[in-house]
Amino acid sequence: MIVTSGLTKRYGQVLAVDDVGLDVREGDIYGFLGANGSGKTTTVRMLLGLVLATSGDIELLGRPMPRQAAAVLPRVGALVEGPAAYGHLSGRANLTLIDAAGAGAPRRSRRARVDDALEQVGLGQVAGRKVRAYSLGMRQRLGLAAALLRRPSLLVLDEPTNGLDPQGISEVRELLLGLHGRGTTVFLSSHLLAEVEQLCTRVGVLDRGRLVLQDQLATLQQPTGRTVVRTPDAAAAHALLDGRVERLSGDRLVVARIEPAELNRRLVAAGLRITELGPERRTLEQVVLAATTDSPVVSP
Amino acid sequence: MIAVELRKLVTRPRTWITIALIDALPTLVAVLLALTDIGPRPGTGPAFLSAVLSDGTLFPLAALAMVLPLFLPVAVALTAGDAIAGEAQSGTLRYLLVRPVGRARLLLAKLVSVVAFVLIAVVVVAVTAYVVGALLLGDAPLSSSVSGTALTQQELAWRTALALGYAVLAMLGVASIALFFSTVTDSPQGAAMGALAVLIASTLLLTLDASQALQPYLPTRYWLAFVDLFRDPILWRDVLRGVVQQVLYVVVFLGAAWANFSTRDITS
């Protein structure tokens, strides 16, 4: 759905995006991670044809961008760097205007499309109110509604849960999962690891303009081969497993080079109390930190 | 897209407040004239104003001569300066462009909406001035040309139409300059100020003998040439020069606006 190769953007002396090769496949919920200022938004803007790349190629839905923007963008819904709307108009009037601005959808069904989008994001109740009186969360929802107007096959969302309360965040998550279930590919840029971890199937990490990591989330979080044990008898366990314990902190031991089943048998046989025992998995945070600090740019 | 822009123009409170303010000046002048009966001596003050005391139906022209040098250009510069930069500042520009709306198409729609604004403003000024003039000021059917000979109602009507068209063209020149600045900056005020600075500089240079060589090219040089349309016979020279000059300004600045806007990074 999104393929870029050698995508580069230079602002004067500053290399904002450097040789990025994104690969977002149909059916993905792709989490695009990176610290603030890492080049996420510039990349998103290049994908949508707002910012022109210094070099490199972009393909969206199999067509080159920005050359074929007129054919591609009607099938893409986007939220870029926060929502924006005309404050003196109501939410519904805003959506009606933005729908009318885009070509290729019948005028007769406009009302139905607008109502449908408002309903999906839960703004039906306040659709008649002026946007000026909306809260940040309501504006965010309105931006999402605008992105959903044409039932896009690809959603490009930049920080979609910004400004939402926990309730709103979980609603947006449900909405995105629902859309994904109906076949929408989602490209989600975020700096919130937890959000991406809960939602995404594939992850790309941007660090100072470079794509330092891109893989299936499940692959990244594969068991490391070590086993984590929690036990109130940590000291005894440490003595018993002499040499195999890699880390001991409080009641938590990380044990290497032994099968979990065998480990469990030995501990129980020794009469130790075990609260928890399972394979060690890296959290997304560990993966991202490892990828961003290992990057060659860091070395002084 | 043009329909969308027109809808935005008419649903915006600012449009109507601006037009009401433009309209207020000639109305105030009419009321003052009617109350005091003191008109400027012929040949002084804004064009036509000395004639309106006896013939109120000439007041639309007097009103136009009053708002054209300052009020109307300021309003047009504000509206056209807001066209792209305003959308950029409010963040809506990026959402229009990813809808997608082609950049050239958006620019064209903005221009049409500015022209619509000018037309509404000019027509509102002319109609109010006609009504106010007929009600408050003299009704002696003088209908004279500036040269002193009599004009028939019919002649007066088409000359007025020509004058209105000329004023709209002059404002289109202002709009093009402001629209160009609007694609350069993300600040609508900055774009409007840029266009006004050009007009003020032009007006200033026109009073300076040393800038004589430049004067035929200054955008405000022929603005008030529409008065010549009411001479008998019509003095076409300045009017035609004004038309050619404004068309050139429109072509050059719209071209520059398009060239700049279509290759620009939208980072707002």
Side-chain angles (χ1 to χ4, degrees):
Chain A
M1 297 295 262
I2 303 177
V3 181
T4 72
S5 58
L7 189 61
T8 301
K9 179 67 188 181
R10 184 184 285 280
Y11 288 113
Q13 288 297 307
V14 183
L15 206 53
V17 174
D18 183 9
D19 195 23
V20 165
L22 287 175
D23 177 20
V24 181
R25 296 159 196 178
E26 185 158 8
D28 277 349
I29 301 188
Y30 188 102
F32 192 42
L33 284 163
N36 293 325
S38 58
K40 284 192 313 266
T41 297
T42 303
T43 308
V44 168
R45 281 175 184 269
M46 284 194 282
L47 294 180
L48 297 170
L50 291 171
V51 164
L52 305 175
T54 307
S55 61
D57 296 310
I58 305 171
E59 234 178 56
L60 234 63
L61 306 170
R63 289 163 182 263
M65 277 294 285
R67 207 164 344 120
Q68 295 199 23
V72 175
L73 290 181
R75 295 168 55 205
V76 178
L79 191 64
V80 190
E81 240 185 322
Y86 303 106
H88 63 281
L89 297 175
S90 70
R92 176 174 280 115
N94 264 288
L95 288 187
T96 308
L97 265 187
I98 205 82
D99 188 77
R107 178 195 288 246
R108 271 174 291 111
S109 50
R110 181 164 298 149
R111 217 193 143 71
R113 276 198 301 278
V114 168
D115 286 343
D116 192 39
L118 284 167
E119 219 43 64
Q120 278 193 69
V121 298
L123 277 183
Q125 296 294 317
V126 294
R129 220 190 281 172
K130 285 191 171 163
V131 171
R132 195 182 295 135
Y134 276 20
S135 68
L136 181 56
M138 285 153 90
R139 284 169 201 239
Q140 193 73 24
R141 286 159 197 257
L142 187 65
L144 269 173
L148 296 177
L149 267 176
R150 296 291 176 86
R151 301 186 174 282
S153 40
L154 172 66
L155 271 176
V156 177
L157 306 174
D158 192 12
E159 311 277 358
T161 55
N162 227 355
L164 294 180
D165 50 22
Q167 171 75 21
I169 292 178
S170 107
E171 279 174 28
V172 166
R173 194 187 307 137
E174 291 307 312
L175 174 67
L176 291 182
L177 286 173
L179 289 165
H180 178 246
R182 272 168 276 153
T184 311
T185 305
V186 181
F187 180 87
L188 179 88
S189 112
S190 178
H191 64 271
L192 302 174
L193 293 166
E195 180 177 289
V196 169
E197 198 162 20
Q198 286 179 48
L199 203 58
C200 295
T201 57
R202 217 169 133 74
V203 176
V205 179
L206 205 62
D207 182 37
R208 273 153 291 186
R210 299 185 65 93
L211 191 67
V212 290
L213 183 76
Q214 176 168 254
D215 213 334
Q216 299 293 119
L217 185 65
T219 313
L220 294 173
Q221 295 188 319
Q222 258 174 354
T224 56
R226 290 186 284 260
T227 309
V228 176
V229 181
R230 277 181 189 279
T231 164
D233 309 319
H238 187 248
L240 182 74
L241 297 169
D242 189 37
R244 290 202 172 89
V245 176
E246 291 202 342
R247 273 198 307 278
L248 169 66
S249 53
D251 66 343
R252 185 173 184 275
L253 298 97
V254 179
V255 188
R257 300 190 304 279
I258 184 165
E259 280 293 295
E262 169 63 15
L263 174 62
N264 192 30
R265 195 193 59 76
R266 283 205 208 173
L267 291 171
V268 172
L272 300 180
R273 299 165 294 167
I274 295 164
T275 344
E276 200 181 308
L277 187 149
E280 185 198 48
R281 286 177 193 276
R282 292 202 295 170
T283 63
L284 186 56
E285 185 176 352
Q286 289 166 333
V287 172
V288 168
L289 280 177
T292 49
T293 47
D294 283 357
S295 62
V297 201
V298 193
S299 47
Chain B
M1 196 56 213
I2 289 175
V4 173
E5 285 304 327
L6 291 178
R7 202 164 356 140
K8 276 200 267 189
L9 179 75
V10 296
T11 55
R12 193 175 199 176
R14 184 157 91 190
T15 308
W16 302 107
I17 295 171
T18 313
I19 289 177
L21 286 177
I22 296 174
D23 214 27
L25 175 70
T27 309
L28 175 69
V29 170
V31 170
L32 288 177
L33 286 180
L35 287 179
T36 62
D37 226 11
I38 309 171
R41 276 170 291 116
T44 65
F48 303 106
L49 207 53
S50 52
V52 298
L53 275 181
S54 41
D55 184 2
T57 56
L58 274 179
F59 194 61
L61 290 168
L64 204 62
M66 270 181 260
V67 297
L68 193 58
L70 189 61
F71 267 41
L72 210 47
V74 168
V76 169
L78 282 173
T79 309
D82 186 63
I84 301 292
E87 302 273 3
Q89 198 182 46
S90 71
T92 42
L93 179 60
R94 56 177 184 269
Y95 288 110
L96 285 177
L97 294 181
V98 301
R99 186 62 6 205
V101 178
R103 294 190 186 190
R105 222 156 67 92
L106 180 61
L107 208 55
L108 177 73
K110 289 292 186 187
L111 183 71
V112 171
S113 124
V114 175
V115 172
F117 172 76
V118 174
L119 283 175
I120 298 173
V122 167
V123 167
V124 168
V125 166
V127 169
T128 346
Y130 184 82
V131 173
V132 170
L135 286 180
L136 296 179
L137 300 170
D139 53 0
L142 189 73
S143 294
S144 70
S145 68
V146 179
S147 313
T149 55
L151 293 176
T152 65
Q153 282 296 329
Q154 210 181 4
E155 253 182 330
L156 195 66
W158 74 258
R159 286 182 187 209
T160 305
L162 268 186
L164 290 181
Y166 187 80
V168 170
L169 184 65
M171 289 307 107
L172 199 57
V174 179
S176 307
I177 297 173
L179 206 54
F180 166 69
F181 282 121
S182 190
T183 65
V184 175
T185 167
D186 285 348
S187 148
Q189 294 83 7
M193 292 313 283
L196 288 177
V198 170
L199 298 183
I200 291 169
S202 163
T203 316
L204 193 90
L205 288 176
L206 283 177
T207 64
L208 194 70
D209 285 335
S211 67
Q212 207 126 39
L214 280 180
Q215 288 180 1
Y217 310 102
L218 296 173
T220 60
R221 167 65 181 84
Y222 300 107
W223 269 10
L224 291 179
F226 77 90
V227 177
D228 291 349
L229 290 168
F230 295 90
R231 296 185 201 285
D232 207 17
I234 296 177
L235 253 178
W236 286 107
R237 203 193 66 150
D238 278 7
V239 174
L240 290 180
R241 284 187 181 181
V243 168
V244 170
Q245 191 207 35
Q246 292 304 321
V247 168
L248 281 177
Y249 265 95
V250 169
V251 169
V252 168
F253 276 91
L254 277 190
W258 173 79
N260 180 48
F261 188 50
S262 56
T263 57
R264 201 186 123 194
D265 283 344
I266 308 298
T267 51
S268 61

